[in-house]
Amino acid sequence: VQLQASGGGLVQAGGSLRLSCAASGRTFSMYGMGWFRQAPGKEREFVAAIGWSGGSTYYADSVKGRFTVSRDRAKNTMYLQMNSLKPEDTAVYYCAADPGGYGPLIEYDYWGQGTLVTVSS
């Protein structure tokens, strides 16, 4: 069972990036999924989450209105579209999945390896 996060990179403030999280080894179509991030010297924090159907989403206040989480169940892939990026969005972004639900308080069973997003000012 693997979650593979990709799409990170270096972008200027105000720019956009789209992260992907591809799941393999099992079907995650019935799993809640989420994005977290960890900036240097800081604890990991919740960013966004999406329910198994894709119809329900949840965002941290810091990214609401700028980030959009989505998923393609047929492709077993979750996305995070990040617009209007700020230097404070710089972090390693991790994806996670859990059969029990979605949201910031779920103890996700499966985690990806992370992808680095760097936003320059």
Side-chain angles (χ1 to χ4, degrees):
V1 175
Q2 268 194 321
L3 296 176
Q4 181 76 32
S6 62
L10 174 63
V11 63
Q12 288 189 329
S16 298
L17 279 175
R18 189 176 82 153
L19 305 184
S20 298
C21 175
S24 61
R26 69 167 59 225
T27 299
F28 284 84
S29 60
M30 299 298 291
Y31 282 51
M33 300 186 76
W35 288 99
F36 290 76
R37 67 187 181 187
Q38 187 166 20
K42 295 187 177 182
E43 293 188 352
R44 186 174 62 195
E45 64 174 359
F46 170 80
V47 175
I50 188 165
W52 68 271
S53 70
S56 300
T57 57
Y58 195 105
Y59 296 94
D61 288 343
S62 59
V63 306
K64 204 171 292 183
R66 300 188 298 122
F67 290 11
T68 302
V69 61
S70 61
R71 67 189 298 170
D72 185 330
R73 297 174 69 205
K75 294 183 178 179
N76 236 10
T77 301
M78 175 179 63
Y79 305 98
L80 185 68
Q81 178 66 44
M82 305 186 295
N83 299 329
S84 302
L85 282 161
K86 305 175 181 179
E88 51 263 43
D89 294 319
T90 295
V92 177
Y93 284 71
Y94 299 90
C95 58
D98 193 90
Y102 72 103
L105 301 180
I106 296 294
E107 293 187 5
Y108 290 85
D109 282 349
Y110 302 99
W111 290 85
Q113 87 293 353
T115 184
L116 176 62
V117 172
T118 303
V119 184
S120 63
S121 57

mmCIF file of all heavy atoms in Angstrom, residues 66-108:
data_model
loop_
_atom_site.group_PDB
_atom_site.id
_atom_site.type_symbol
_atom_site.label_atom_id
_atom_site.label_comp_id
_atom_site.label_asym_id
_atom_site.label_seq_id
_atom_site.Cartn_x
_atom_site.Cartn_y
_atom_site.Cartn_z
ATOM 1 N N ARG A 66 -7.962 29.752 -1.252
ATOM 2 C CA ARG A 66 -6.766 29.712 -2.122
ATOM 3 C C ARG A 66 -6.473 28.297 -2.613
ATOM 4 O O ARG A 66 -5.992 28.129 -3.733
ATOM 5 C CB ARG A 66 -5.542 30.234 -1.366
ATOM 6 C CG ARG A 66 -5.676 31.659 -0.893
ATOM 7 C CD ARG A 66 -4.351 32.182 -0.323
ATOM 8 N NE ARG A 66 -3.914 31.427 0.848
ATOM 9 C CZ ARG A 66 -2.740 30.797 0.926
ATOM 10 N NH1 ARG A 66 -1.904 30.832 -0.086
ATOM 11 N NH2 ARG A 66 -2.405 30.147 2.033
ATOM 12 N N PHE A 67 -6.737 27.303 -1.782
ATOM 13 C CA PHE A 67 -6.454 25.913 -2.126
ATOM 14 C C PHE A 67 -7.768 25.173 -2.395
ATOM 15 O O PHE A 67 -8.796 25.461 -1.779
ATOM 16 C CB PHE A 67 -5.736 25.210 -0.979
ATOM 17 C CG PHE A 67 -4.322 25.660 -0.735
ATOM 18 C CD1 PHE A 67 -3.791 26.792 -1.343
ATOM 19 C CD2 PHE A 67 -3.511 24.960 0.147
ATOM 20 C CE1 PHE A 67 -2.495 27.191 -1.103
ATOM 21 C CE2 PHE A 67 -2.207 25.346 0.402
ATOM 22 C CZ PHE A 67 -1.698 26.473 -0.225
ATOM 23 N N THR A 68 -7.694 24.209 -3.302
ATOM 24 C CA THR A 68 -8.851 23.360 -3.597
ATOM 25 C C THR A 68 -8.412 21.904 -3.646
ATOM 26 O O THR A 68 -7.484 21.556 -4.403
ATOM 27 C CB THR A 68 -9.487 23.737 -4.941
ATOM 28 O OG1 THR A 68 -9.883 25.109 -4.919
ATOM 29 C CG2 THR A 68 -10.717 22.874 -5.213
ATOM 30 N N VAL A 69 -9.071 21.086 -2.855
ATOM 31 C CA VAL A 69 -8.786 19.656 -2.847
ATOM 32 C C VAL A 69 -9.831 18.941 -3.699
ATOM 33 O O VAL A 69 -11.012 19.296 -3.670
ATOM 34 C CB VAL A 69 -8.746 19.100 -1.412
ATOM 35 C CG1 VAL A 69 -10.077 19.272 -0.692
ATOM 36 C CG2 VAL A 69 -8.303 17.644 -1.407
ATOM 37 N N SER A 70 -9.381 17.960 -4.445
ATOM 38 C CA SER A 70 -10.297 17.185 -5.288
ATOM 39 C C SER A 70 -9.742 15.770 -5.426
ATOM 40 O O SER A 70 -8.619 15.492 -4.992
ATOM 41 C CB SER A 70 -10.457 17.830 -6.659
ATOM 42 O OG SER A 70 -9.213 17.880 -7.343
ATOM 43 N N ARG A 71 -10.533 14.903 -5.994
ATOM 44 C CA ARG A 71 -10.050 13.540 -6.201
ATOM 45 C C ARG A 71 -10.695 12.945 -7.438
ATOM 46 O O ARG A 71 -11.812 13.304 -7.820
ATOM 47 C CB ARG A 71 -10.332 12.671 -4.978
ATOM 48 C CG ARG A 71 -11.793 12.394 -4.705
ATOM 49 C CD ARG A 71 -11.997 11.712 -3.348
ATOM 50 N NE ARG A 71 -11.343 10.406 -3.281
ATOM 51 C CZ ARG A 71 -11.207 9.721 -2.154
ATOM 52 N NH1 ARG A 71 -11.663 10.218 -1.012
ATOM 53 N NH2 ARG A 71 -10.629 8.531 -2.164
ATOM 54 N N ASP A 72 -9.950 12.016 -8.039
ATOM 55 C CA ASP A 72 -10.451 11.242 -9.163
ATOM 56 C C ASP A 72 -10.444 9.791 -8.687
ATOM 57 O O ASP A 72 -9.391 9.147 -8.625
ATOM 58 C CB ASP A 72 -9.535 11.437 -10.380
ATOM 59 C CG ASP A 72 -10.062 10.749 -11.621
ATOM 60 O OD1 ASP A 72 -10.747 9.717 -11.505
ATOM 61 O OD2 ASP A 72 -9.772 11.241 -12.719
ATOM 62 N N ARG A 73 -11.619 9.303 -8.334
ATOM 63 C CA ARG A 73 -11.698 7.963 -7.754
ATOM 64 C C ARG A 73 -11.296 6.900 -8.751
ATOM 65 O O ARG A 73 -10.709 5.876 -8.381
ATOM 66 C CB ARG A 73 -13.110 7.716 -7.231
ATOM 67 C CG ARG A 73 -13.498 8.668 -6.089
ATOM 68 C CD ARG A 73 -14.939 8.490 -5.693
ATOM 69 N NE ARG A 73 -15.136 7.196 -5.054
ATOM 70 C CZ ARG A 73 -16.303 6.557 -5.031
ATOM 71 N NH1 ARG A 73 -17.357 7.082 -5.641
ATOM 72 N NH2 ARG A 73 -16.411 5.411 -4.419
ATOM 73 N N ALA A 74 -11.577 7.118 -10.020
ATOM 74 C CA ALA A 74 -11.215 6.133 -11.039
ATOM 75 C C ALA A 74 -9.703 6.005 -11.159
ATOM 76 O O ALA A 74 -9.186 4.922 -11.474
ATOM 77 C CB ALA A 74 -11.825 6.519 -12.374
ATOM 78 N N LYS A 75 -8.999 7.107 -10.932
ATOM 79 C CA LYS A 75 -7.542 7.107 -11.035
ATOM 80 C C LYS A 75 -6.875 6.888 -9.680
ATOM 81 O O LYS A 75 -5.643 6.884 -9.597
ATOM 82 C CB LYS A 75 -7.053 8.420 -11.643
ATOM 83 C CG LYS A 75 -7.464 8.628 -13.088
ATOM 84 C CD LYS A 75 -6.880 9.914 -13.642
ATOM 85 C CE LYS A 75 -7.261 10.095 -15.110
ATOM 86 N NZ LYS A 75 -6.711 11.356 -15.666
ATOM 87 N N ASN A 76 -7.681 6.744 -8.633
ATOM 88 C CA ASN A 76 -7.118 6.540 -7.296
ATOM 89 C C ASN A 76 -6.147 7.665 -6.930
ATOM 90 O O ASN A 76 -5.084 7.433 -6.340
ATOM 91 C CB ASN A 76 -6.387 5.196 -7.234
ATOM 92 C CG ASN A 76 -6.906 4.310 -6.124
ATOM 93 O OD1 ASN A 76 -7.919 4.582 -5.494
ATOM 94 N ND2 ASN A 76 -6.197 3.221 -5.874
ATOM 95 N N THR A 77 -6.520 8.887 -7.278
ATOM 96 C CA THR A 77 -5.625 10.035 -7.110
ATOM 97 C C THR A 77 -6.357 11.206 -6.491
ATOM 98 O O THR A 77 -7.514 11.473 -6.829
ATOM 99 C CB THR A 77 -5.030 10.460 -8.468
ATOM 100 O OG1 THR A 77 -4.310 9.358 -9.029
ATOM 101 C CG2 THR A 77 -4.069 11.627 -8.306
ATOM 102 N N MET A 78 -5.670 11.890 -5.574
ATOM 103 C CA MET A 78 -6.175 13.113 -4.963
ATOM 104 C C MET A 78 -5.287 14.272 -5.402
ATOM 105 O O MET A 78 -4.089 14.078 -5.648
ATOM 106 C CB MET A 78 -6.136 12.981 -3.427
ATOM 107 C CG MET A 78 -6.525 14.246 -2.682
ATOM 108 S SD MET A 78 -6.495 14.064 -0.888
ATOM 109 C CE MET A 78 -4.781 13.716 -0.570
ATOM 110 N N TYR A 79 -5.883 15.448 -5.494
ATOM 111 C CA TYR A 79 -5.148 16.629 -5.945
ATOM 112 C C TYR A 79 -5.288 17.770 -4.934
ATOM 113 O O TYR A 79 -6.255 17.824 -4.185
ATOM 114 C CB TYR A 79 -5.675 17.103 -7.298
ATOM 115 C CG TYR A 79 -5.658 16.049 -8.361
ATOM 116 C CD1 TYR A 79 -6.813 15.322 -8.660
ATOM 117 C CD2 TYR A 79 -4.500 15.758 -9.070
ATOM 118 C CE1 TYR A 79 -6.809 14.332 -9.627
ATOM 119 C CE2 TYR A 79 -4.483 14.770 -10.040
ATOM 120 C CZ TYR A 79 -5.641 14.063 -10.313
ATOM 121 O OH TYR A 79 -5.634 13.087 -11.278
ATOM 122 N N LEU A 80 -4.325 18.668 -4.970
ATOM 123 C CA LEU A 80 -4.419 19.904 -4.214
ATOM 124 C C LEU A 80 -3.990 21.033 -5.136
ATOM 125 O O LEU A 80 -2.801 21.161 -5.452
ATOM 126 C CB LEU A 80 -3.547 19.877 -2.959
ATOM 127 C CG LEU A 80 -3.674 21.095 -2.055
ATOM 128 C CD1 LEU A 80 -5.077 21.133 -1.413
ATOM 129 C CD2 LEU A 80 -2.606 21.100 -0.965
ATOM 130 N N GLN A 81 -4.951 21.805 -5.589
ATOM 131 C CA GLN A 81 -4.653 22.980 -6.407
ATOM 132 C C GLN A 81 -4.373 24.146 -5.477
ATOM 133 O O GLN A 81 -5.232 24.519 -4.671
ATOM 134 C CB GLN A 81 -5.835 23.314 -7.327
ATOM 135 C CG GLN A 81 -5.635 24.546 -8.172
ATOM 136 C CD GLN A 81 -4.522 24.381 -9.189
ATOM 137 O OE1 GLN A 81 -4.423 23.352 -9.841
ATOM 138 N NE2 GLN A 81 -3.682 25.401 -9.332
ATOM 139 N N MET A 82 -3.197 24.704 -5.583
ATOM 140 C CA MET A 82 -2.774 25.774 -4.691
ATOM 141 C C MET A 82 -2.565 27.046 -5.511
ATOM 142 O O MET A 82 -1.701 27.081 -6.381
ATOM 143 C CB MET A 82 -1.481 25.390 -3.980
ATOM 144 C CG MET A 82 -1.567 24.064 -3.230
ATOM 145 S SD MET A 82 -0.097 23.706 -2.249
ATOM 146 C CE MET A 82 1.119 23.528 -3.548
ATOM 147 N N ASN A 83 -3.376 28.041 -5.243
ATOM 148 C CA ASN A 83 -3.283 29.333 -5.921
ATOM 149 C C ASN A 83 -2.894 30.424 -4.942
ATOM 150 O O ASN A 83 -2.997 30.244 -3.726
ATOM 151 C CB ASN A 83 -4.629 29.671 -6.570
ATOM 152 C CG ASN A 83 -5.048 28.664 -7.619
ATOM 153 O OD1 ASN A 83 -4.225 28.055 -8.292
ATOM 154 N ND2 ASN A 83 -6.364 28.478 -7.764
ATOM 155 N N SER A 84 -2.469 31.546 -5.474
ATOM 156 C CA SER A 84 -2.098 32.703 -4.645
ATOM 157 C C SER A 84 -1.149 32.287 -3.524
ATOM 158 O O SER A 84 -1.348 32.636 -2.363
ATOM 159 C CB SER A 84 -3.355 33.361 -4.055
ATOM 160 O OG SER A 84 -4.242 33.760 -5.079
ATOM 161 N N LEU A 85 -0.142 31.546 -3.886
ATOM 162 C CA LEU A 85 0.778 31.008 -2.891
ATOM 163 C C LEU A 85 1.542 32.122 -2.187
ATOM 164 O O LEU A 85 1.880 33.152 -2.787
ATOM 165 C CB LEU A 85 1.739 30.027 -3.544
ATOM 166 C CG LEU A 85 1.127 28.638 -3.812
ATOM 167 C CD1 LEU A 85 1.939 27.873 -4.844
ATOM 168 C CD2 LEU A 85 1.026 27.857 -2.516
ATOM 169 N N LYS A 86 1.821 31.876 -0.905
ATOM 170 C CA LYS A 86 2.534 32.819 -0.066
ATOM 171 C C LYS A 86 3.804 32.148 0.456
ATOM 172 O O LYS A 86 3.862 30.920 0.555
ATOM 173 C CB LYS A 86 1.655 33.226 1.122
ATOM 174 C CG LYS A 86 0.296 33.781 0.747
ATOM 175 C CD LYS A 86 -0.534 34.041 1.994
ATOM 176 C CE LYS A 86 -1.915 34.574 1.640
ATOM 177 N NZ LYS A 86 -2.740 34.814 2.861
ATOM 178 N N PRO A 87 4.802 32.945 0.833
ATOM 179 C CA PRO A 87 6.026 32.349 1.391
ATOM 180 C C PRO A 87 5.734 31.444 2.596
ATOM 181 O O PRO A 87 6.425 30.438 2.780
ATOM 182 C CB PRO A 87 6.860 33.566 1.780
ATOM 183 C CG PRO A 87 6.433 34.613 0.806
ATOM 184 C CD PRO A 87 4.966 34.392 0.606
ATOM 185 N N GLU A 88 4.718 31.777 3.365
ATOM 186 C CA GLU A 88 4.390 30.959 4.533
ATOM 187 C C GLU A 88 3.759 29.620 4.168
ATOM 188 O O GLU A 88 3.524 28.776 5.041
ATOM 189 C CB GLU A 88 3.476 31.717 5.500
ATOM 190 C CG GLU A 88 2.250 32.333 4.855
ATOM 191 C CD GLU A 88 2.468 33.803 4.514
ATOM 192 O OE1 GLU A 88 3.548 34.157 3.993
ATOM 193 O OE2 GLU A 88 1.522 34.593 4.764
ATOM 194 N N ASP A 89 3.481 29.394 2.898
ATOM 195 C CA ASP A 89 3.015 28.085 2.449
ATOM 196 C C ASP A 89 4.181 27.122 2.211
ATOM 197 O O ASP A 89 3.949 25.932 1.943
ATOM 198 C CB ASP A 89 2.213 28.216 1.147
ATOM 199 C CG ASP A 89 0.912 28.967 1.326
ATOM 200 O OD1 ASP A 89 0.224 28.747 2.345
ATOM 201 O OD2 ASP A 89 0.579 29.798 0.449
ATOM 202 N N THR A 90 5.401 27.617 2.310
ATOM 203 C CA THR A 90 6.566 26.773 2.127
ATOM 204 C C THR A 90 6.596 25.659 3.162
ATOM 205 O O THR A 90 6.536 25.916 4.368
ATOM 206 C CB THR A 90 7.856 27.603 2.228
ATOM 207 O OG1 THR A 90 7.903 28.531 1.135
ATOM 208 C CG2 THR A 90 9.087 26.705 2.187
ATOM 209 N N ALA A 91 6.673 24.417 2.682
ATOM 210 C CA ALA A 91 6.630 23.262 3.572
ATOM 211 C C ALA A 91 6.767 21.989 2.744
ATOM 212 O O ALA A 91 6.664 22.023 1.517
ATOM 213 C CB ALA A 91 5.313 23.223 4.342
ATOM 214 N N VAL A 92 6.968 20.895 3.449
ATOM 215 C CA VAL A 92 6.813 19.579 2.835
ATOM 216 C C VAL A 92 5.348 19.190 2.989
ATOM 217 O O VAL A 92 4.807 19.224 4.094
ATOM 218 C CB VAL A 92 7.720 18.528 3.496
ATOM 219 C CG1 VAL A 92 7.467 17.157 2.875
ATOM 220 C CG2 VAL A 92 9.185 18.921 3.345
ATOM 221 N N TYR A 93 4.726 18.850 1.883
ATOM 222 C CA TYR A 93 3.309 18.494 1.874
ATOM 223 C C TYR A 93 3.160 16.977 1.809
ATOM 224 O O TYR A 93 3.785 16.321 0.965
ATOM 225 C CB TYR A 93 2.611 19.150 0.681
ATOM 226 C CG TYR A 93 2.356 20.618 0.903
ATOM 227 C CD1 TYR A 93 3.405 21.538 0.906
ATOM 228 C CD2 TYR A 93 1.063 21.087 1.135
ATOM 229 C CE1 TYR A 93 3.174 22.884 1.131
ATOM 230 C CE2 TYR A 93 0.823 22.433 1.358
ATOM 231 C CZ TYR A 93 1.884 23.328 1.352
ATOM 232 O OH TYR A 93 1.655 24.666 1.582
ATOM 233 N N TYR A 94 2.327 16.464 2.699
ATOM 234 C CA TYR A 94 2.088 15.036 2.793
ATOM 235 C C TYR A 94 0.619 14.739 2.505
ATOM 236 O O TYR A 94 -0.274 15.488 2.910
ATOM 237 C CB TYR A 94 2.412 14.528 4.191
ATOM 238 C CG TYR A 94 3.838 14.718 4.613
ATOM 239 C CD1 TYR A 94 4.248 15.874 5.267
ATOM 240 C CD2 TYR A 94 4.781 13.718 4.387
ATOM 241 C CE1 TYR A 94 5.566 16.040 5.662
ATOM 242 C CE2 TYR A 94 6.094 13.878 4.785
ATOM 243 C CZ TYR A 94 6.486 15.039 5.425
ATOM 244 O OH TYR A 94 7.788 15.199 5.812
ATOM 245 N N CYS A 95 0.383 13.602 1.855
ATOM 246 C CA CYS A 95 -0.990 13.151 1.690
ATOM 247 C C CYS A 95 -1.227 11.946 2.600
ATOM 248 O O CYS A 95 -0.282 11.247 2.983
ATOM 249 C CB CYS A 95 -1.310 12.821 0.243
ATOM 250 S SG CYS A 95 -0.281 11.556 -0.523
ATOM 251 N N ALA A 96 -2.473 11.745 2.934
ATOM 252 C CA ALA A 96 -2.833 10.676 3.851
ATOM 253 C C ALA A 96 -4.205 10.116 3.488
ATOM 254 O O ALA A 96 -5.002 10.804 2.843
ATOM 255 C CB ALA A 96 -2.831 11.190 5.286
ATOM 256 N N ALA A 97 -4.459 8.896 3.918
ATOM 257 C CA ALA A 97 -5.740 8.259 3.626
ATOM 258 C C ALA A 97 -6.185 7.430 4.823
ATOM 259 O O ALA A 97 -5.359 6.893 5.565
ATOM 260 C CB ALA A 97 -5.627 7.370 2.396
ATOM 261 N N ASP A 98 -7.496 7.345 4.997
ATOM 262 C CA ASP A 98 -8.047 6.562 6.108
ATOM 263 C C ASP A 98 -9.435 6.056 5.750
ATOM 264 O O ASP A 98 -10.229 6.811 5.178
ATOM 265 C CB ASP A 98 -8.119 7.429 7.369
ATOM 266 C CG ASP A 98 -8.367 6.601 8.605
ATOM 267 O OD1 ASP A 98 -7.372 6.170 9.210
ATOM 268 O OD2 ASP A 98 -9.538 6.377 8.945
ATOM 269 N N PRO A 99 -9.748 4.821 6.134
ATOM 270 C CA PRO A 99 -11.072 4.287 5.817
ATOM 271 C C PRO A 99 -12.174 4.826 6.713
ATOM 272 O O PRO A 99 -13.361 4.649 6.429
ATOM 273 C CB PRO A 99 -10.897 2.782 6.024
ATOM 274 C CG PRO A 99 -9.816 2.674 7.043
ATOM 275 C CD PRO A 99 -8.879 3.814 6.763
ATOM 276 N N GLY A 100 -11.766 5.501 7.775
ATOM 277 C CA GLY A 100 -12.750 5.895 8.777
ATOM 278 C C GLY A 100 -13.343 7.278 8.618
ATOM 279 O O GLY A 100 -14.263 7.637 9.345
ATOM 280 N N GLY A 101 -12.810 8.072 7.693
ATOM 281 C CA GLY A 101 -13.357 9.413 7.535
ATOM 282 C C GLY A 101 -12.330 10.382 6.998
ATOM 283 O O GLY A 101 -11.314 9.980 6.421
ATOM 284 N N TYR A 102 -12.587 11.668 7.191
ATOM 285 C CA TYR A 102 -11.669 12.698 6.714
ATOM 286 C C TYR A 102 -11.753 13.882 7.668
ATOM 287 O O TYR A 102 -12.661 13.962 8.494
ATOM 288 C CB TYR A 102 -12.044 13.102 5.288
ATOM 289 C CG TYR A 102 -13.324 13.916 5.201
ATOM 290 C CD1 TYR A 102 -13.285 15.293 5.003
ATOM 291 C CD2 TYR A 102 -14.563 13.316 5.343
ATOM 292 C CE1 TYR A 102 -14.446 16.036 4.947
ATOM 293 C CE2 TYR A 102 -15.729 14.057 5.282
ATOM 294 C CZ TYR A 102 -15.668 15.415 5.083
ATOM 295 O OH TYR A 102 -16.816 16.150 5.035
ATOM 296 N N GLY A 103 -10.768 14.786 7.534
ATOM 297 C CA GLY A 103 -10.785 15.956 8.394
ATOM 298 C C GLY A 103 -9.502 16.074 9.182
ATOM 299 O O GLY A 103 -8.620 15.219 9.095
ATOM 300 N N PRO A 104 -9.386 17.153 9.969
ATOM 301 C CA PRO A 104 -8.133 17.413 10.673
ATOM 302 C C PRO A 104 -7.887 16.512 11.870
ATOM 303 O O PRO A 104 -6.747 16.399 12.320
ATOM 304 C CB PRO A 104 -8.293 18.865 11.128
ATOM 305 C CG PRO A 104 -9.775 19.060 11.246
ATOM 306 C CD PRO A 104 -10.357 18.234 10.141
ATOM 307 N N LEU A 105 -8.905 15.863 12.407
ATOM 308 C CA LEU A 105 -8.740 15.097 13.644
ATOM 309 C C LEU A 105 -8.615 13.595 13.417
ATOM 310 O O LEU A 105 -8.412 12.851 14.363
ATOM 311 C CB LEU A 105 -9.922 15.372 14.574
ATOM 312 C CG LEU A 105 -10.113 16.836 14.971
ATOM 313 C CD1 LEU A 105 -11.305 16.979 15.897
ATOM 314 C CD2 LEU A 105 -8.857 17.397 15.619
ATOM 315 N N ILE A 106 -8.713 13.172 12.159
ATOM 316 C CA ILE A 106 -8.608 11.750 11.860
ATOM 317 C C ILE A 106 -7.173 11.283 12.033
ATOM 318 O O ILE A 106 -6.231 11.979 11.630
ATOM 319 C CB ILE A 106 -9.066 11.470 10.411
ATOM 320 C CG1 ILE A 106 -10.551 11.799 10.257
ATOM 321 C CG2 ILE A 106 -8.776 10.041 9.999
ATOM 322 C CD1 ILE A 106 -11.461 10.891 11.051
ATOM 323 N N GLU A 107 -6.987 10.138 12.637
ATOM 324 C CA GLU A 107 -5.654 9.531 12.710
ATOM 325 C C GLU A 107 -5.493 8.649 11.483
ATOM 326 O O GLU A 107 -5.832 7.477 11.471
ATOM 327 C CB GLU A 107 -5.517 8.726 13.996
ATOM 328 C CG GLU A 107 -5.535 9.586 15.244
ATOM 329 C CD GLU A 107 -5.235 8.800 16.509
ATOM 330 O OE1 GLU A 107 -4.918 7.609 16.406
ATOM 331 O OE2 GLU A 107 -5.314 9.408 17.593
ATOM 332 N N TYR A 108 -4.946 9.246 10.440
ATOM 333 C CA TYR A 108 -4.853 8.585 9.147
ATOM 334 C C TYR A 108 -3.946 7.354 9.215
ATOM 335 O O TYR A 108 -2.859 7.393 9.786
ATOM 336 C CB TYR A 108 -4.344 9.570 8.097
ATOM 337 C CG TYR A 108 -5.356 10.643 7.759
ATOM 338 C CD1 TYR A 108 -5.466 11.798 8.531
ATOM 339 C CD2 TYR A 108 -6.218 10.499 6.675
ATOM 340 C CE1 TYR A 108 -6.407 12.780 8.230
ATOM 341 C CE2 TYR A 108 -7.150 11.479 6.367
ATOM 342 C CZ TYR A 108 -7.241 12.609 7.148
ATOM 343 O OH TYR A 108 -8.170 13.570 6.853
#
